[in-house]
Amino acid sequence: MTPTTRRGFLALAGGSAVALSIKAESLNARQLPGQPPSENSGGREKDFSNVMAIAAHPGDAFFAMGAPVAVAAHLGGKGSLLSLSLGERGSPTIPAEHYGASQREAAQKAAALIGAQALFLPYPDGEIPINEEAKFAVCDLIRQYKPSIIVTHWKGSWHKDHRACSDIVEDAVFYAGLPAIVRKEPAHGVRKLFYADNWEDATGFTADTYLDITAVFDVWMNACSAFPMWRGETGFRYNDYYGSLAVTRGCLSNFNRAVALMSPTEQRVQHIRTP
Ligand SMILES: [Zn+2]
């Protein structure tokens, strides 16, 4: 077994992570003892003025991606949560038609509680297609809502809908930003894409960005409780998992509550100028 020092552990845990705080003045206090300096944001929180979560199912949008959207609303900006399907086949006991309607209702209620908007596309749960029609449908919503940041699924997932969503979003962001692709709305360049920390998408997920969600934690948790599945009705205790994950990620980033995000490889490239 490799001896683990406190410094080594924190370096491993923090890596070269970026810590994003809503309170810019508190950034200097966010260095953990013994941890090598990470790149702190001095003003990038302004990017969180318009955040769109794009998920395969409403539960993913709110539980794994909802807190950054709540941050946008808290900052006085705009937030939207797009579900590619209603997750209507997710209940072991309730018929899909009824469950889908209740999922839609819960998403609308939860979105209102965090001051955001719930959006839907009509793909069947379990059968979200990876095709140009779906990519352009998402592209059109990106152009319409103009998010500066998009949070979506990491492709390292056991769930085929989550992998499909990740693929669709990456291409939709590309299409949305190309002026030569003429759609109803003009081109819109998304500033950053992030992958969410989701228990179903854990293969190869490596956090590189921590977002302080302390100010929105209670509002976000309350919004999630609009979904019956939040409390474990479908077999997984989402409330316990995501509530304690925010505490755990907060410990690692020295925020009270935090979510961890992962950047696409190309977004991690840094340019360091020398004199
Ligand atoms: Zn899902």
Side-chain angles (χ1 to χ4, degrees):
M1 183 179 160
T2 311
T4 305
T5 62
R6 176 175 167 77
R7 184 182 173 86
F9 165 73
L10 288 171
L12 189 68
S16 58
V18 178
L20 299 171
S21 174
I22 300 172
K23 296 180 188 169
E25 72 275 11
S26 67
L27 286 168
N28 290 337
R30 295 305 174 196
Q31 198 63 48
L32 286 169
Q35 187 182 39
S38 63
E39 186 195 344
N40 277 333
S41 140
R44 257 184 280 174
E45 59 277 357
K46 69 179 185 303
D47 290 348
F48 282 79
S49 60
N50 190 335
V51 178
M52 178 182 266
I54 307 179
H57 312 112
D60 303 299
F62 285 85
F63 308 164
M65 309 170 193
V69 176
V71 165
H74 176 76
L75 292 170
K78 290 182 182 168
S80 49
L81 303 107
L82 168 61
S83 305
L84 302 190
S85 84
L86 289 172
E88 69 275 11
R89 290 166 172 160
S91 170
T93 53
I94 304 169
E97 190 184 324
H98 293 129
Y99 194 62
S102 75
Q103 289 272 94
R104 178 188 289 272
E105 202 175 301
Q108 285 165 335
K109 183 180 173 190
L113 285 169
I114 59 174
Q117 194 164 356
L119 308 171
F120 306 94
L121 281 171
Y123 302 110
D125 186 12
E127 298 176 64
I128 293 174
I130 305 175
N131 60 29
E132 294 304 291
E133 190 277 330
K135 291 171 185 177
F136 278 110
V138 174
C139 159
D140 288 347
L141 288 169
I142 293 170
R143 288 187 174 193
Q144 184 179 345
Y145 287 88
K146 300 178 174 45
S148 46
I149 287 180
I150 287 179
V151 184
T152 192
H153 290 279
W154 167 238
K155 63 182 86 231
S157 179
W158 68 264
H159 199 305
K160 69 186 283 283
D161 279 350
H162 294 197
R163 297 194 302 272
C165 180
S166 197
D167 272 6
I168 289 166
V169 171
E170 284 183 4
D171 287 351
V173 167
F174 175 69
Y175 290 162
L178 274 185
I181 293 183
V182 177
R183 308 286 294 174
K184 187 176 163 212
E185 298 282 342
H188 171 73
V190 174
R191 286 180 58 84
K192 282 193 192 312
L193 176 67
F194 286 115
Y195 303 117
D197 193 1
N198 186 319
W199 72 285
E200 292 168 301
D201 309 342
T203 304
F205 179 88
T206 307
D208 57 46
T209 302
Y210 290 91
L211 175 68
D212 177 11
I213 62 160
T214 309
V216 300
F217 179 76
D218 291 339
V219 167
W220 164 62
M221 291 282 286
N222 183 48
C224 290
S225 73
F227 290 86
M229 67 187 290
W230 175 243
R231 291 173 294 276
E233 275 85 342
T234 55
F236 184 82
R237 287 153 45 212
Y238 291 92
N239 56 346
D240 284 346
Y241 182 79
Y242 285 106
S244 52
L245 187 63
V247 176
T248 304
R249 293 307 196 179
C251 291
L252 292 172
S253 56
N254 212 11
F255 294 126
N256 190 341
R257 299 285 184 275
V259 291
L261 301 165
M262 176 178 173
S263 309
T265 309
E266 63 278 9
Q267 202 168 285
R268 281 183 239 141
V269 172
Q270 295 189 51
H271 298 238
I272 300 174
R273 189 185 300 279
T274 56

